[in-house]
């Protein structure tokens, strides 16, 4: 079934993990601007160079850069039957740009979780530096330590997951991204889902909120 979805939530709320589960279930791609930017940094592209200083500081990359990236990505043929946006839009300006581009969403899932839980959880978060697959040393460990289950790439801690940066990123989330909840609530498409004790529990709650269960 085709669906156009946005996953909203604080950094570390589990957007990437939940998007991966739902992507597989619905056979639609997940588009993560964070993963696209990290790949650009690794490739040493101009966009990567520009983005790196913002990302390292836990700040948002400028809207025009993000809008360029996301418009290009949404034109690819794998998006025709729907997609999940993970980590984008992150500002009202980005949401308005998507509206202007004529992109209509079926649902916006907001994963609700406290800052305290996020700070505790971020310590164990890991990511594949090759394909971007998300892991957690307790909640979702790799089968072989340090090796990605999907692509065999090296699994590492992100530089911006260090505690000092996490606090700054939470502030950025509350200041700049959380207003999107009201933006999409006004359109009648916001589905708030409380974080559950397990990944599977949250996945189920999301599917219920979307009328899939
Ligand atoms: P993420 O992997 O989604 O946590 O993103 C990591 C970092 O990439 C963020 O802290 C921002 O610096 C940057 N970034 C990713 N997506 C966006 C976006 N939609 N708008 C602005 N910056 C972004």
């Amino acid at each position: 079934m085709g669906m156009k979805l946005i996953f909203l939530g604080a950094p570390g709320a589990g957007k990437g993990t939940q998007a991966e589960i739902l992507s597989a279930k619905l056979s639609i791609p997940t588009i993560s601007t964070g993963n696209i930017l990290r790949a650009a940094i690794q490739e040493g592209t101009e966009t990567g160079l520009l983005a790196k200083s913002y990302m390292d500081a836990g700040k948002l990359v400028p809207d025009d850069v993000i809008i360029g990236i996301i418009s290009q990505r949404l034109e690819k043929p794998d998006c025709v039957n729907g997609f999940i946006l993970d980590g984008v839009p992150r500002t009202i300006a980005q949401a308005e740009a998507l509206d202007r581009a004529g992109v209509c969403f079926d649902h916006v899932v907001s994963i609700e979780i406290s800052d305290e839980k996020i700070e505790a959880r971020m310590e164990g978060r890991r990511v594949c530096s090759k394909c971007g697959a998300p892991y957690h040393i307790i909640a979702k460990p790799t089968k072989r330590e340090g090796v990605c289950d999907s692509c065999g790439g090296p699994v590492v801690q992100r530089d911006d997951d260090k505690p000092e940066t996490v606090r700054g990123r939470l502030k950025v989330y509350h200041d700049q991204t959380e207003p999107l909840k009201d933006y999409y609530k006004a359109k009648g498409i916001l589905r708030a889902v409380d974080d559950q004790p397990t990944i599977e529990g949250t996945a189920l709650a999301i599917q219920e909120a979307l009328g899939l269960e």
Side-chain angles (χ1 to χ4, degrees), residues 4-208:
K4 292 179 181 165
L5 305 172
I6 295 172
F7 275 24
L8 278 182
K15 297 185 296 291
T17 299
Q18 293 299 336
E20 190 179 58
I21 294 172
L22 202 59
S23 263
K25 191 175 165 86
L26 300 178
S27 302
I28 52 176
T30 290
I31 300 171
S32 153
T33 38
N35 283 349
I36 294 172
L37 291 168
R38 280 185 287 277
I41 291 175
Q42 280 209 332
E43 286 162 24
T45 66
E46 211 175 300
T47 306
L49 277 177
L50 175 76
K52 191 174 183 329
S53 55
Y54 293 97
M55 293 173 76
D56 286 348
K59 302 241 161 64
L60 292 184
V61 172
D63 286 328
D64 55 337
V65 176
I66 299 294
I67 291 163
I69 289 176
I70 194 73
S71 333
Q72 266 190 357
R73 181 62 186 86
L74 290 177
E75 275 169 18
K76 296 213 173 140
D78 64 336
C79 292
V80 292
N81 291 321
F83 46 78
I84 301 175
L85 300 190
D86 161 17
V88 65
R90 254 198 177 75
T91 61
I92 298 281
Q94 291 177 20
E96 287 173 348
L98 287 166
D99 283 349
R100 277 198 301 277
V103 187
C104 288
F105 296 97
D106 298 291
H107 307 277
V108 176
V109 175
S110 171
I111 303 179
E112 302 292 328
I113 179 169
S114 69
D115 287 7
E116 293 73 36
K117 262 195 186 171
I118 293 283
E119 287 187 36
R121 189 188 276 185
M122 287 300 236
E123 249 185 77
R125 182 153 95 143
R126 300 290 181 272
V127 64
C128 172
S129 54
K130 206 162 147 212
C131 76
Y135 294 96
H136 189 279
I137 54 173
I138 295 160
K140 193 189 173 202
T142 51
K143 293 197 181 82
R144 260 182 66 206
E145 202 184 321
V147 180
C148 178
D149 295 350
S150 311
C151 79
V155 169
V156 298
Q157 183 176 41
R158 282 168 44 174
D159 284 339
D160 60 352
D161 278 352
K162 308 272 153 64
E164 323 76 80
T165 321
V166 167
R167 253 167 258 132
R169 289 168 65 206
L170 279 169
K171 183 170 172 4
V172 169
Y173 169 73
H174 292 304
D175 291 350
Q176 302 197 53
T177 306
E178 216 168 11
L180 287 175
K181 288 203 271 181
D182 281 339
Y183 184 87
Y184 289 115
K185 198 172 181 181
K187 292 182 188 281
I189 55 173
L190 184 76
R191 320 281 172 240
V193 174
D194 285 329
D195 175 68
Q196 302 295 317
T198 62
I199 291 174
E200 295 73 25
T202 306
L204 205 62
I206 290 173
Q207 287 167 33
E208 277 169 8

